[in-house]
Amino acid sequence: MFNQRFAVEFDRRTVGIAVRVPGGFMFYASDNRFEEMDGRLFRRARAIERELKKVDQKKWKHNRRERLSFAV
């Protein structure tokens, strides 16, 4: 088996790489927003995409709450 690896993009920016390993894809983050995903194994490449969206939404909501609290 040869190594398969590819850049992972989110919101038109490269946020990491995915490397094919036995059992799926290992994700390595290059963007601090997604460091909680760094080193995680995903069964399918699509699962990486779904998790990127979840993490982004979670961080967006958290940051929005912080901005709103300062605005009061």
Side-chain angles (χ1 to χ4, degrees):
M1 181 168 111
F2 59 93
N3 282 342
Q4 285 183 303
R5 54 190 172 268
F6 55 91
V8 177
E9 293 184 357
F10 182 78
D11 197 23
R12 291 180 276 165
R13 298 175 79 181
T14 301
V15 297
I17 62 168
V19 179
R20 182 84 156 132
V21 297
F25 292 89
M26 187 71 68
F27 176 75
Y28 297 100
S30 62
D31 186 311
N32 290 339
R33 293 179 298 163
F34 303 104
E35 67 183 18
E36 69 187 68
M37 294 174 58
D38 190 58
R40 282 187 47 197
L41 177 67
F42 294 87
R43 286 198 168 274
R44 293 181 169 65
R46 277 277 194 227
I48 296 171
E49 180 184 0
R50 285 191 299 269
E51 190 66 19
L52 288 168
K53 288 177 183 178
K54 284 182 192 176
V55 170
D56 182 62
Q57 286 177 347
K58 182 172 65 173
K59 293 200 185 265
W60 186 84
K61 286 179 185 177
H62 177 74
N63 289 339
R64 184 170 181 229
R65 272 189 242 127
E66 283 181 1
R67 285 191 299 251
L68 290 174
S69 66
F70 288 119
V72 175

